[in-house]
Amino acid sequence: MDKIRIVGGRPLEGTVRISGAKNASLPDICAALLTDKPVVFSNVPEVRDIRTMGRLLSDLGAQVDFRVGGCIEVKAANLTSVEAPYDLVKTMRASVLVLGPLVARAGKARVSLPGGCAIGDRPINLHLQALEKMGASIRVESGYVEASTRRLRGTEIYFDTVTVTGTENVMMAATLAEGETIIRNAAQEPEIPDLADLLVKMGARIQGAGGPTIRVEGVDALHGAEHTVIPDRIETGTYIAACAIAGGDIEIRNCQPAHLKAVLDKLRETGIRIEEGPENLRVRAPRTLKASDVTTIPYPGFPTDMQAQYMTVMTQAAGTSAITESIFENRYMHVAELQRMGANVRIDGRTAVVVGHTPLSGAQVMATDLRASASLVLAGLAAKGETIVDRIYHLDRGYYRIDEKLRGLGADIERITERGLADRRAQARAPEPAGTAE
Ligand code: EPU
């Protein structure tokens, strides 16, 4: 299993290019199940979750053609299966995004329930209640959700809790329903209008995506389209945090600053200088970072997907900060690993209290989920000595070549195999060859 080795202490300089958004690409690709015509995507990040989704769509009978440079064509002329099996869903919860399109197009779906994960319980009850209200009959048996209907009916859905993939599932399902669906308390994350843009190009009739109320007027069929996925706002935020913690002056290209307002505001409060262009950012680290409290909330608030990275930055800020996670009840798995590197963090209910300005020292640490992994890489950039981040398959699920991108900015970081690491350690322990010692 690969690991990442980082030797901290080098400021970052140069330019980094942001990839397409993983969390936009995943629902976008699933939307191709709604039509028998080809849908072509560009700016899709070549990360593991996208490969996994490609495999799931192929298992359902779609032709999935991965081309070079982040271009994918999906053609679901015939669906040969309507099942998302446990083996895939347990490795990637976003597999649940095939539910809405399958029920809408094929009139049935059998999707494994995802179960809990490293960041919380993450039920899908709101997805199911909404589809039921749209006329699907839903049963849960042997760990699977079985949904069926002759044709979904438009209705009014009110989400008790803002749910991103829930909003996406219902919006996709509603495109082929009979009549109008109104989604209230809809998620407003930029991934929602991105999906709506794609669906509209495919012939759907959608209004209000990006706001709290979305109206979808169902149509009889959708057609093919071409779509460029939006840049990844969380990857962008992660590189700003990297510059903040390592020090330096970097340019971030191919990003969408308008999607990061809460993150940019918060990071500016800590003293980081950020200049915005239309599709780029210049980031300059301050001599001293200042502590600032934050609470994660749905978009346009500060994203839960930036909480772990922000916490790492706060370990190096002057002062004490309170970081409150309001979306997922268990998203503090990175804390114990940061503590092993010397961070002073205490969890009090849903709040982490971070006492800043504590020196970090390199250690062997374990990644537990995607964003926790990123926070450990950032800690490695600031730590004295060598940090080895284990279980980086989590990182590979959502960050395209983070090691290469950071190395391009001057960080001392590399991907190594277990064997390579053992050889390196043995070499370090070996006595100097005879004749070279003074
Ligand atoms: N919730 C319910 N019932 C539901 C659905 C959600 O109670 O039926 C609760 C969840 O337990 C959570 C809250 O609602 O407390 C919000 O969850 P949401 O459904 O919005 O999360 P998600 O759609 O499963 C997406 C992203 C996550 C991101 C969250 C929040 C994708 C593929 N995943 O998950 O991304 O953290 O929204 O913004 O879009 C990541 O990229 O690292 C990641 C975890």
Side-chain angles (χ1 to χ4, degrees), residues 22-24 26-27 49 53 92-97 117 119-129 159 161-168 187 189 191 232-234 297-299 303-306 325-329 331 350 369-372 397-399:
K22 166 187 81 90
N23 287 350
L26 290 168
D49 273 8
M53 190 59 94
M92 189 186 65
R93 303 179 61 84
S95 309
V96 76
L97 283 165
C117 78
I119 64 177
D121 276 352
R122 302 184 74 184
I124 57 163
N125 57 316
L126 300 173
H127 304 226
L128 303 184
Q129 281 164 18
F159 281 124
T161 304
V162 174
T163 162
V164 176
T165 50
T167 302
E168 291 163 348
E189 273 69 3
E191 293 75 29
D232 197 310
R233 63 197 166 98
I234 305 299
I297 40 173
Y299 193 86
T304 172
D305 290 345
M306 274 300 295
E325 172 58 60
S326 82
I327 312 283
F328 294 113
E329 67 278 12
R331 209 172 194 179
R350 294 198 106 166
D369 72 79
L370 173 58
R371 309 303 170 187
R397 291 185 51 187
Y399 286 94

Side-chain angles (χ1 to χ4, degrees), residues 270-272 285-290 316-318 357:
T270 71
I272 304 165
R287 200 181 292 274
T288 311
L289 287 158
K290 289 186 288 237
Q316 299 308 296
H357 253 181

Side-chain angles (χ1 to χ4, degrees), residues 32-237:
L33 293 172
L34 290 162
T35 174
D36 57 358
K37 301 291 182 305
V39 186
V40 181
F41 303 93
S42 50
N43 204 33
V44 178
E46 294 170 62
V47 295
R48 218 156 58 108
D49 273 8
I50 300 296
R51 290 265 162 205
T52 308
M53 190 59 94
R55 221 178 97 203
L56 173 55
L57 265 49
S58 303
D59 288 355
L60 297 173
Q63 259 176 278
V64 181
D65 182 11
F66 283 90
R67 302 181 187 149
V68 285
C71 184
I72 301 183
E73 179 174 323
V74 182
K75 187 173 172 198
N78 295 302
L79 295 175
T80 53
S81 160
V82 290
E83 178 166 316
Y86 180 61
D87 280 352
L88 276 181
V89 179
K90 77 172 185 216
T91 62
M92 189 186 65
R93 303 179 61 84
S95 309
V96 76
L97 283 165
V98 300
L99 180 62
L102 285 176
V103 181
R105 163 112 181 259
K108 55 188 177 188
R110 187 166 188 271
V111 175
S112 170
L113 280 170
C117 78
I119 64 177
D121 276 352
R122 302 184 74 184
I124 57 163
N125 57 316
L126 300 173
H127 304 226
L128 303 184
Q129 281 164 18
L131 289 173
E132 204 159 33
K133 201 157 176 225
M134 294 173 79
S137 77
I138 306 270
R139 340 192 266 159
V140 175
E141 207 170 276
S142 311
Y144 278 77
V145 174
E146 294 177 359
S148 61
T149 180
R150 211 176 51 75
R151 186 177 178 188
L152 293 169
R153 284 188 312 269
T155 183
E156 191 160 338
I157 311 283
Y158 175 82
F159 281 124
D160 293 341
T161 304
V162 174
T163 162
V164 176
T165 50
T167 302
E168 291 163 348
N169 243 335
V170 172
M171 193 163 73
M172 289 190 278
T175 58
L176 293 180
E178 195 179 338
E180 188 187 44
T181 303
I182 303 175
I183 308 172
R184 298 201 189 274
N185 199 25
Q188 299 175 43
E189 273 69 3
E191 293 75 29
I192 308 284
D194 182 64
L195 175 62
D197 284 350
L198 163 66
L199 291 167
V200 167
K201 285 182 209 162
M202 293 168 67
R205 297 175 61 188
I206 303 176
Q207 281 184 338
T213 305
I214 302 176
R215 289 170 193 273
V216 186
E217 182 67 45
V219 296
D220 290 337
L222 296 178
H223 49 74
E226 286 184 16
H227 184 69
T228 303
V229 175
I230 54 171
D232 197 310
R233 63 197 166 98
I234 305 299
E235 189 194 20
T236 308

